[in-house]
Amino acid sequence: MSILVLAPLVLVVNGLAAGVLVGTQLGGWPLLQALPPGRYVHAHAFFATRYDPFMPACLLATITGDVVLALADGDARAARALYVVAALAAAATVTISLIKNVPVNRWIRQLDPDRLPSDFTRQDPRPGWGLWNRIRTWLAVCALIANGAALSVQM
């Protein structure tokens, strides 16, 4: 596949991933944070089942495309470096997702919102989940910026 075709495709899938995360920060997270525990569990489980299949596909396509572009673009050293930065930022986003966010999503989906554990307020994952979600949002946006810069350097 040509660099002229692959680079814009990578920008699109990276933009979709970053956009979903930014949208979560702007709307989904404030809602989840404000809800009482039972409603939070219900809403979080709803969101997680919609984003989980979509986000990994976009991020893995971003990483794969960035690696291919970094290896294929022999003449444009600056673009190659930017693709590497983008791949690393996207990979960090995936790593945080797997280590910090996905386990919470799985746990929340197993809970019955009407029969929460008696110590749910102690186990409430919102503070940690929110912090890691902000970090991975910034990383996905940084990858998008690096991919956009790499594409502009190539033109």
Side-chain angles (χ1 to χ4, degrees), residues 15-34 40 43-52 54-55 59 93 97 101 105 126 129-138 140-141:
L16 289 169
V20 166
L21 286 166
V22 168
T24 300
Q25 281 302 118
L26 295 175
W29 172 241
L31 171 66
L32 293 175
Q33 197 173 23
Y40 156 70
H44 189 128
F46 175 83
F47 283 130
T49 59
R50 270 54 179 187
Y51 294 135
D52 281 351
F54 180 76
M55 291 295 296
L59 289 167
T93 305
S97 297
N101 296 85
N105 293 350
R126 286 181 273 193
W129 189 94
L131 170 66
W132 288 108
N133 198 59
R134 277 190 301 279
I135 293 169
R136 70 185 184 151
T137 299
W138 282 110
V141 169

Side-chain angles (χ1 to χ4, degrees), residues 53-105:
F54 180 76
M55 291 295 296
C58 288
L59 289 167
L60 293 175
T62 298
I63 295 165
T64 303
D66 281 330
V67 169
V68 169
L69 289 165
L71 295 174
D73 194 38
D75 291 339
R77 187 171 275 166
R80 199 169 351 134
L82 287 163
Y83 287 128
V84 168
V85 167
L88 291 172
T93 305
V94 170
T95 301
I96 289 170
S97 297
L98 290 172
I99 294 172
K100 298 294 185 178
N101 296 85
V102 169
V104 170
N105 293 350

